[in-house]
Amino acid sequence: MFNIIVPAHNEQTYIGATLSGLLAQDDQAPSALRVLVVANGCSDATASKARSFTERFAERGWDLRVLETPVGSKPVALNLGDAEAAPGPRVYLDADVVCAPSLLGKLAGILDSPEPRYASGIVTIPPPRSRISRYYARLLLKVPFMAIGVPGCGLYAMNPAGRARWGAFPDIIADDLFARHNFAPDERFRAEAEFSWVLAEGFSALVRVRRRWDMGNRQLIERFPDLAPNEAKVPVRPRDHLRLFLGQPVSYAVYTAVALASRLGKKDRGIWARGR
């Protein structure tokens, strides 16, 4: 059974597109599929919106289950989803991500191995409404970590041998970073298929997100120092900075301003929340 776990906190606006994207997968997608939407701490119609897709998934021979918890916590939602998952590969999918039709099939092919494997796809960003966010997105997608790495932001997957490396998700900010760091660089694979990842809108929201990214990195290093050698982040060399600046000077200025602003002012507390 191929499992997809979708933690969802007040995502009634986005969950329909996410589930529709799964239904649009091509015929290379796994025939046995279980989707677990975990509505956590929701005060909107996320759960009912997700349940409205149950029959459409059943028509494809797939199992859609919607779980609910009053606790608004992504790690709690991930662990609840894991508890209901069947044996087999697992995809952890944010509730505002839309997968290209070929992505599940390509992930299934990569994860079909007895050796531990981690996988994600190619990140794309739908055009933000905010001009600042549009400039930021253009440069973010060209940073080496995003352009040639396997970042896993919004979607990451692993086979059973890989998932066996830890038990419950810890109560941390960066679940995606924690999962990725449990795999050595040569165990991480990039599927040649896209998924769209929604970016925060506006300068202040981007700064909040960047602060949480930085906090998540620091927290992971402090709590799980043994995983640090697996980071192997693609470095941004001086010539990379020059290339990015010459290619998109305005985007470079916006990206740099967000990075600098995230290090100034009042810091956010180490709790999970979305940037948008």
Side-chain angles (χ1 to χ4, degrees), residues 122 140-149 151 190:
I122 300 171
L140 176 63
L141 292 177
K142 292 185 179 299
V143 172
F145 174 68
M146 297 290 285
I148 62 177
R190 175 174 164 135

Side-chain angles (χ1 to χ4, degrees), residues 64-222:
L64 171 64
R65 303 183 184 187
V66 181
L67 313 175
E68 294 186 69
T69 174
V71 181
S73 163
K74 191 176 184 183
V76 167
L78 293 171
N79 290 327
L80 286 173
D82 271 335
E84 289 290 322
R90 298 184 189 184
V91 178
Y92 298 92
L93 177 69
D94 284 0
D96 55 4
V97 165
V98 178
C99 300
S102 64
L103 182 55
L104 289 189
K106 291 184 182 297
L107 289 175
I110 290 171
L111 299 177
D112 184 17
S113 169
E115 301 299 322
R117 286 191 171 189
Y118 168 102
S120 187
I122 300 171
V123 182
T124 64
I125 298 176
R129 297 185 303 275
S130 161
R131 181 178 297 179
I132 290 292
S133 293
R134 289 198 296 272
Y135 283 128
Y136 187 89
R138 289 169 192 162
L139 197 89
L140 176 63
L141 292 177
K142 292 185 179 299
V143 172
F145 174 68
M146 297 290 285
I148 62 177
V150 189
C153 48
L155 182 155
Y156 55 92
M158 63 207 67
N159 61 6
R163 185 59 186 86
R165 288 189 165 169
W166 74 93
F169 278 91
D171 185 14
I172 56 175
I173 299 169
D175 61 281
D176 53 348
L177 198 61
F178 170 78
R180 190 171 65 86
H181 279 199
N182 270 277
F183 296 84
D186 61 357
E187 296 175 321
R188 301 195 292 251
F189 296 84
R190 175 174 164 135
E192 294 303 313
E194 297 179 344
F195 65 91
S196 67
W197 179 61
V198 178
L199 189 67
E201 294 281 357
F203 186 82
S204 60
L206 289 170
V207 170
R208 288 197 302 272
V209 169
R210 181 59 184 260
R211 281 177 180 161
R212 283 203 304 279
W213 287 353
D214 292 342
M215 289 172 63
N217 274 284
R218 291 195 300 270
Q219 184 188 57
L220 191 67
I221 292 170
E222 291 168 1

Side-chain angles (χ1 to χ4, degrees), residues 241-254:
H241 280 284
L242 181 61
R243 173 180 56 82
L244 293 169
F245 172 73
L246 294 176
Q248 301 190 53
V250 177
S251 291
Y252 186 90
V254 169

Side-chain angles (χ1 to χ4, degrees), residues 28-47:
Q28 299 302 307
S31 58
L33 183 71
R34 176 175 294 176
V35 178
L36 296 150
V37 177
V38 187
N40 61 100
C42 292
S43 57
D44 66 357
T46 296

